[in-house]
Amino acid sequence: MTETTDASALLLSRIRDVEDHPEPGVMFKDITPLLADPKAFAVLSDALVGIAEATGATKVVGLEARGFILGAPVAVQAGLGFIPVRKAGKLPGATLSQAYDLEYGSAEIEVHAEDLTAADRVLVIDDVLATGGTAEASVRLIRRAGAEVVGLAVLMELGFLGGRARVEPALAGAPLEALLTL
């Protein structure tokens, strides 16, 4: 087995399936066992740091809420700034917002208006790429703030939901890295 295969197997072994959450028919991928295992969490963080370094990122954007948990240690370890992208109404002060459509309705995310500049090269980090709505909106929001998006990195991609097809056009050639594809 290669080091990458070993890392992938470790990460996958620490993700728990929870049936019928948050609603009947949904198989939720719970990453809390992975976060509770210091070795697995370190392997995950190291892999994401490698992506941050490869992209030349100057800042990490974490998407609410699990993107905060994954992105903040990556930013610290890589010596980069960390910027939270939050659900609308959660940030004080001046914000930029981006609305987007979900499968059943719509949502809105925000970032502090002054947190990103034209000099920033941003890596977006989240736990999962599902339908791609939040990821696509975050890329658009970051660009509206004037920063360059250098990539999107996720722990896992739920390939059967088609999120990659939705977010890749917004990335405009920046890489989308999924450590696991399910």
Side-chain angles (χ1 to χ4, degrees):
M1 287 182 97
T2 66
E3 186 175 326
T4 301
T5 303
D6 289 344
S8 296
L10 174 63
L11 296 175
L12 192 55
S13 75
R14 300 304 188 271
I15 297 170
R16 178 176 61 149
D17 287 342
V18 180
E19 291 185 40
D20 298 324
H21 181 79
E23 60 186 55
V26 173
M27 180 66 73
F28 183 77
K29 300 296 186 183
D30 181 13
I31 67 166
T32 56
L34 188 155
L35 299 174
D37 179 333
K39 181 179 179 186
F41 197 9
V43 165
L44 172 57
S45 294
D46 289 347
L48 293 172
V49 166
I51 295 168
E53 290 171 347
T55 61
T58 59
K59 290 197 175 154
V60 169
V61 159
L63 304 183
E64 187 164 346
R66 289 179 295 266
F68 299 170
I69 297 167
L70 304 184
V74 169
V76 170
Q77 192 173 337
L80 307 175
F82 177 78
I83 308 297
V85 167
R86 307 268 339 247
K87 294 175 183 169
K90 301 287 186 179
L91 292 171
T95 61
L96 293 174
S97 64
Q98 181 71 44
Y100 61 101
D101 291 327
L102 298 166
E103 188 173 351
Y104 301 104
S106 62
E108 190 172 3
I109 54 174
E110 295 180 332
V111 67
H112 275 130
E114 70 277 2
D115 285 351
L116 296 168
T117 70
D120 291 320
R121 295 174 47 83
V122 178
L123 175 65
V124 179
I125 293 180
D126 204 5
D127 65 327
V128 65
L129 176 64
T131 62
T134 306
E136 177 191 29
S138 70
V139 169
R140 294 188 189 290
L141 180 61
I142 292 161
R143 288 212 174 99
R144 283 189 39 237
E148 178 185 357
V149 177
V150 296
L152 168 65
V154 296
L155 165 59
M156 66 185 130
E157 176 181 357
L158 304 179
F160 61 93
L161 292 176
R164 182 175 289 267
R166 181 173 180 176
V167 77
E168 279 185 332
L171 284 167
L176 190 166
E177 300 283 344
L179 300 179
L180 302 169
T181 300
L182 308 175

